[in-house]
Amino acid sequence: MTAETTMPCYPVSLDIRGRRCLVVGGGAVATRKVRALIRCGARVTVVTPAASSEIETLAESRRIELKARIYRSGDMEGMFLVFSATDSRPVNSQVHADACQHNILCNIADQPAACNFTVPAVVRRGDLMLTVSTAGKSPALSRRLRKVLEAQFGPEYGEALRLMGAIRTRLLGNGHAPDAHRKRFRSVLDRDLIGLIRRKDIGTIDRILLEIFGPGYTFESLITAEADT
């Protein structure tokens, strides 16, 4: 494999629900990390002698565990992911060294060379997630591209994903093999499903669903069923 075709990072989405994650630091960057981890269902521990008001509020409501002191190597025990976002290079270096010793995924804010993973810029539309990564070389470019994606992909894409997921779930529940319906899924999308959802033309969507999948497949019933799962 040539240098031109070698990828600097392996793209992956991690399921961290219920996983223990550590954030070292209590400033604005650390707070953003904590917020994102909570949104993904992680069990978050924050270690910092000075925490933001948001982190303190989260700790008071027991949504996170806060250790109001300096970092210790023992804080690494049992962690799945670790973020260090302090202004102290010695502390960040110690966190990195401890994470490497324990084979734990580690991200050091603003130090790409000390990370074994980077966090992409993210656009979320329901369960649809679009990410942009520059391998840590230019967060500014990542943010710029994220804004482009936010303008191009509106909430209708999240709704379309909900609908397609609900159709797939119903077909599988009826014993249908998913590979047998690829053409039908493509046909739905080719009928300008995104545009119809954007224009809230539910009547046309229902007619398309009836034509392709048969009786019982309506936008409202499918979306309601998806919300109940």
Side-chain angles (χ1 to χ4, degrees):
M1 184 175 289
T2 65
E4 288 75 17
T5 58
T6 299
M7 294 179 64
C9 297
Y10 185 82
V12 63
S13 294
L14 294 175
D15 182 354
I16 59 172
R17 291 172 294 181
R19 297 278 193 172
R20 296 185 63 199
C21 298
L22 174 66
V23 177
V24 181
V29 174
T31 301
R32 289 198 298 271
K33 304 298 185 185
V34 169
R35 196 183 299 135
L37 290 169
I38 291 174
R39 188 184 302 121
C40 293
R43 296 166 54 197
V44 182
T45 297
V46 177
V47 179
T48 180
S52 68
S53 58
E54 183 175 344
I55 287 178
E56 290 181 342
T57 299
L58 290 169
E60 290 169 0
S61 62
R62 298 185 177 181
R63 296 184 65 189
I64 65 170
E65 178 184 5
L66 173 61
K67 297 181 180 181
R69 55 167 173 76
I70 62 173
Y71 168 77
R72 300 171 186 167
S73 294
D75 294 325
M76 193 70 60
E77 294 290 338
M79 296 299 170
F80 181 71
L81 279 181
V82 176
F83 291 89
S84 188
T86 78
D87 294 329
S88 170
R89 281 194 171 269
V91 171
N92 290 340
S93 295
Q94 186 63 53
V95 171
H96 175 256
D98 292 339
C100 289
Q101 183 178 355
H102 289 79
N103 292 317
I104 296 173
L105 295 174
C106 179
N107 177 279
I108 308 296
D110 297 326
Q111 295 183 41
C115 302
N116 51 26
F117 77 95
T118 58
V119 180
V122 177
V123 175
R124 295 181 185 273
R125 297 292 182 257
D127 286 335
L128 177 64
M129 182 170 65
L130 307 174
T131 63
V132 177
S133 173
T134 58
K137 293 182 178 180
S138 179
L141 180 57
S142 290
R143 288 191 291 270
R144 175 65 62 86
L145 291 173
R146 183 193 66 202
K147 290 182 179 180
V148 172
L149 292 174
E150 286 176 338
Q152 184 173 352
F153 296 91
E156 61 273 11
Y157 282 85
E159 284 291 291
L161 178 58
R162 290 181 64 194
L163 179 63
M164 299 295 280
I167 294 171
R168 186 173 187 274
T169 297
R170 182 172 294 185
L171 290 171
L172 291 175
N174 292 333
H176 294 263
D179 289 346
H181 299 285
R182 290 179 180 175
K183 289 184 179 180
R184 291 207 275 180
F185 282 122
R186 286 198 296 267
S187 179
V188 172
L189 292 172
D190 289 344
R191 301 286 189 92
D192 191 28
L193 177 64
I194 301 298
L196 291 171
I197 292 176
R198 184 186 299 118
R199 296 189 295 273
K200 302 185 186 303
D201 190 351
I202 307 304
T204 299
I205 294 174
D206 284 345
R207 287 193 292 273
I208 292 171
L209 294 176
L210 175 62
E211 176 186 338
I212 295 175
F213 295 103
Y217 286 81
T218 65
F219 182 87
E220 183 176 355
S221 67
L222 288 162
I223 292 296
T224 300
E226 193 275 342
D228 291 339
T229 56

